[in-house]
Amino acid sequence: MPELPADHAPALPEATDFIREIVNADILSGKYRMGDIRTRFPPEPNGYLHIGHAKALYIDFGIARDYHGKCNLRMDDTNPSKEDVEYVEAIKDDVRWLGFEWDGDVRYASDYFEQMYDYAVMMIEKGLAYVDDQTADEIAATRGTLTEPGQESPYRNRSVAENLDLFARMRAGEFPNGARVLRAKIDMASPNIHMRDPVLYRILHIPHHRTGDAWCIYPMYDWAHGLEDSIEGITHSLCTLEFEIHRPLYDWLLAPLPVHKPQQIEFSRLNLTYTVMSKRRLLRLVQENRVSGWDDPRMPTLCGMRRRGYTPTAIHAFLKCVGVTKYNAITDVALLESCLRDELNKVTPRYLAVLNPLKLVITNYPEGQTEWLEAINNPEDPDAGTRKIPFGRELYIEQDDFRETPPPKYHRLSPGQEVRLRWAGIVTCQEVVKNQDGTIAEIRCTLDRDNTDRRVKGTIHWVDAKHAVNAEVRLYDRLFNKEIPDAVAEGEDFIDNLNPDSLQVLTSCKVEPALAELASEDKVQFERLGYFCADRFDHQPGKPVFNRTVSLKDTWAKIEQKGSKENAAEAKPASATKPQADADGAGLISMDDFSKLQLKAARVLAAERIPNTDKLLKLTVDCGEQRQIVAGIALHYQPEDLVGKTIIIVNNLQPAVLGGVESQGMLLAAKRKKELRILTVDGEIPPGASVG
């Protein structure tokens, strides 16, 4: 690439996160130039992409964009037993849907199988790899533990010639599955277990979706990963934090080879409340028919979110809010839903739909007459214009908008009560007509259009019965009813936390005629009900099918608040209610609740500030086990002042999320006016000891 003149070179982007700080430093040092930066997104084609992958896409493609570089899309197809062309095509569709375009053709790890093999031969020739005849179970049994070194294989010291011969015969298909592997020769006593002679190749007599039967040995991820990056000229190999411990191996395997050496950088993965992100768990939901498929609108897969009505721009806005960090956290799914509401509120047209219809007859309106009223399409967008909606003697309203015996403060329709019909006037209920079984057949009302300026407490929506179109509406809710689905008691499973009410299918809904003409994936707001999307596959003109994307407000916040009050009334210590917080974010509890709390001594192992907050510190503590505590004490304590201190924590609170970081407990502190002091313990008290 020719070097640009200094006055034409693009400006260095602002370092808004630690990855961009590294890239900026590399450019300022002369290691790379603007335009040289190359990243990659390397999914395994063994499942569909989910919202966690969207964060990786946002970072990988965002770095390449900001530095005028390029980003590759590479399928890490090294395990044919779990891979499928279906997944390959789905991944490409999802990446494009999110608005990203990769450089050139899609790359595949299988494109480099021959080069990887040649480099493996080179490692054997250098005495850095050997063929091992041990089984997978034997290798695992001799790998050692975190406190004990592993045992060297009895085949570790084979000659180079013997290893070369055996490796060639492995490739030729002479041995059955599991008979032999190729291992790196590193250090069986390494404190990093991943460095204890990891396996580089295994025998697998399974056809590959691209190479067919050409190969019967396949590279392991750690061997393939660095070489793929190197061959493609990747400058910064961006991975999630679980690969941090693999980085020494990434560097070790590339070091002796005459290849380009990329830099691996790790960032925290995305974790959402009420959501599972494991592809293994998502696959189980599909295989056990807990959902209707990978694109079930309750799934966190990108195709599922698309079918539910999420937009790429709303997902981008959410990922921008989440940011790029180096610490694990759990993000409240309400933030994602809020970003979606913010966008849909601005761009979606409003329509009238009745999900659970009840007939309303206007007795003082002429029979057979229809008039067309003017309705505003979107009050948030003056350019959205208006539309005509039919109005006649017989209407449908929601069953919930009428009560024969109304509860207190019920401001909708009831006998003798009046409400405003959206766009149409004011009606007063005069009569209730019932079926023989006592259920309500219809309600009869009178319409007032002469005094519509007077104040009426309730406004309800409706659909003209004569022109109404039948529709199917699918009310989707959160798939799990527990904030952290994997948090289960012994003997339980994450499946036990599935929300039994996550889907309700309504087949007798009535909608205004314009809704029947929408195209698949069109997004709308049903007035007073929420945001909906015409189903991507099942919706047809004249036979509408709508999926609820998200409600108008976060109803789960009310559900959780109600649940917290019930828990407090039951006074169960193991599920103590989340503490209230004062202005500094420090938890406050009453003396009545104090006796229910389990208090333990905890030694502070590490402390750091949480980025983008003024008051929050994250503490790593030893309380008999390692935990993470978030507290609003940064205005009163420096992180270095806390390390080594023994503090008192509340041990039996449910995890909470503060500043986007999960807190697995609460420290005790006392506050007087503007002074706050943490309760500490002097003398010898072991971490984890109970405190009376």
Side-chain angles (χ1 to χ4, degrees), residues 358-363 397 399 401-406 410 412-417 428-446:
L358 171 64
K359 181 171 284 190
L360 181 151
V361 178
I362 302 175
T363 57
I397 66 169
Q399 292 179 15
D401 283 337
F402 176 79
R403 287 288 182 273
E404 190 172 11
T405 304
Y410 184 79
R412 285 170 277 177
L413 201 57
S414 59
Q417 181 69 35
T428 303
C429 178
Q430 305 291 353
E431 182 184 359
V432 179
V433 179
K434 295 187 177 182
N435 299 307
Q436 289 184 350
D437 61 2
T439 58
I440 298 176
E442 64 183 44
I443 56 174
R444 295 173 175 264
C445 301
T446 55

Side-chain angles (χ1 to χ4, degrees), residues 265-571:
I265 304 170
E266 307 84 20
F267 58 88
S268 61
R269 65 185 299 168
L270 178 65
N271 296 298
L272 284 177
T273 56
Y274 301 99
T275 311
V276 294
M277 295 288 202
S278 162
K279 268 198 281 190
R280 179 170 55 85
R281 282 174 168 74
L282 296 177
L283 178 61
R284 184 178 161 193
L285 291 173
V286 174
Q287 291 177 333
E288 295 182 2
N289 296 317
R290 308 284 182 173
V291 294
S292 62
W294 287 96
D295 66 350
D296 187 299
R298 294 167 292 179
M299 291 277 274
T301 53
L302 295 181
C303 58
M305 296 176 73
R306 175 179 180 176
R307 190 170 181 182
R308 184 158 175 170
Y310 275 78
T311 66
T313 46
I315 293 174
H316 282 245
F318 165 70
L319 295 171
K320 184 177 181 180
C321 290
V322 171
V324 183
T325 63
K326 191 75 174 178
Y327 55 85
N328 283 317
I330 298 179
T331 301
D332 196 330
V333 71
L335 176 60
L336 173 61
E337 294 168 344
S338 176
C339 291
L340 181 61
R341 286 190 192 94
D342 287 346
E343 175 174 332
L344 295 180
N345 183 52
K346 297 174 185 176
V347 301
T348 55
R350 275 56 165 169
Y351 288 94
L352 298 178
V354 174
L355 305 189
N356 296 289
L358 171 64
K359 181 171 284 190
L360 181 151
V361 178
I362 302 175
T363 57
N364 62 338
Y365 194 89
E367 293 189 24
Q369 178 175 314
T370 297
E371 60 181 303
W372 294 83
L373 307 179
E374 189 169 42
I376 296 174
N377 286 332
N378 187 346
E380 301 293 325
D381 180 9
D383 295 329
T386 61
R387 71 187 186 284
K388 296 293 185 178
I389 53 176
F391 178 82
R393 176 183 173 89
E394 295 186 356
L395 310 175
Y396 290 114
I397 66 169
E398 293 286 353
Q399 292 179 15
D400 284 346
D401 283 337
F402 176 79
R403 287 288 182 273
E404 190 172 11
T405 304
K409 299 183 179 179
Y410 184 79
H411 298 308
R412 285 170 277 177
L413 201 57
S414 59
Q417 181 69 35
E418 62 180 9
V419 296
R420 188 181 303 277
L421 294 179
R422 184 72 160 152
W423 312 116
I426 298 171
V427 292
T428 303
C429 178
Q430 305 291 353
E431 182 184 359
V432 179
V433 179
K434 295 187 177 182
N435 299 307
Q436 289 184 350
D437 61 2
T439 58
I440 298 176
E442 64 183 44
I443 56 174
R444 295 173 175 264
C445 301
T446 55
L447 175 67
D448 180 2
R449 284 183 164 175
D450 295 328
N451 301 293
T452 57
D453 290 338
R454 71 179 186 276
R455 183 178 179 182
V456 178
K457 289 185 177 180
T459 298
I460 64 174
H461 61 280
W462 51 273
V463 172
D464 176 65
K466 181 179 179 181
H467 295 84
V469 175
N470 290 325
E472 178 178 313
V473 176
R474 301 163 181 173
L475 301 180
Y476 290 102
D477 210 330
R478 294 177 184 173
L479 186 56
F480 292 92
N481 55 22
K482 193 169 184 178
E483 195 173 60
I484 304 176
D486 284 330
V488 295
E490 185 176 353
E492 293 182 351
D493 186 60
F494 81 101
I495 293 292
D496 296 321
N497 291 325
L498 282 169
N499 177 13
D501 300 318
S502 62
L503 171 59
Q504 181 183 6
V505 180
L506 306 177
T507 57
S508 301
C509 304
K510 306 293 183 180
V511 301
E512 64 171 277
L515 283 169
E517 304 307 317
L518 297 182
S520 296
E521 297 193 80
D522 279 354
K523 296 160 184 60
V524 299
Q525 183 194 114
F526 290 172
E527 293 207 36
R528 299 179 65 229
L529 298 176
Y531 298 99
F532 292 77
C533 174
D535 187 82
R536 185 181 179 188
F537 303 113
D538 298 335
H539 176 89
Q540 299 177 27
K543 295 182 178 180
V545 177
F546 289 96
N547 302 326
R548 182 169 65 186
T549 305
V550 67
S551 58
L552 292 177
K553 296 181 180 180
D554 183 5
T555 56
W556 278 73
K558 295 181 180 179
I559 293 171
E560 290 172 342
Q561 185 178 19
K562 178 181 178 182
S564 294
K565 291 179 180 178
E566 291 173 352
N567 288 342
E570 294 173 5

Side-chain angles (χ1 to χ4, degrees), residues 33-86:
R33 296 171 298 165
M34 289 284 285
D36 290 344
I37 305 305
R38 184 178 283 271
T39 60
R40 85 290 173 269
F41 177 66
E44 298 175 73
N46 59 1
Y48 283 67
L49 300 185
H50 54 62
I51 185 66
H53 293 109
K55 178 178 179 179
L57 282 162
Y58 184 78
I59 294 172
D60 290 328
F61 281 89
I63 293 289
R65 176 201 63 222
D66 292 352
Y67 292 90
H68 300 266
K70 297 176 180 178
C71 183
N72 296 348
L73 174 60
R74 178 208 309 146
M75 303 294 168
D76 190 23
D77 55 343
T78 59
N79 187 1
S81 65
K82 296 184 178 180
E83 296 162 0
D84 197 289
V85 174
E86 172 193 350

Side-chain angles (χ1 to χ4, degrees), residues 119-120 122-123 126 223 227 253-261:
Y119 285 129
M122 191 178 298
M123 294 290 283
K126 291 176 176 288
W223 173 245
L227 287 175
L253 291 171
L254 291 178
L257 299 175
V259 297
H260 163 66
K261 311 293 194 296

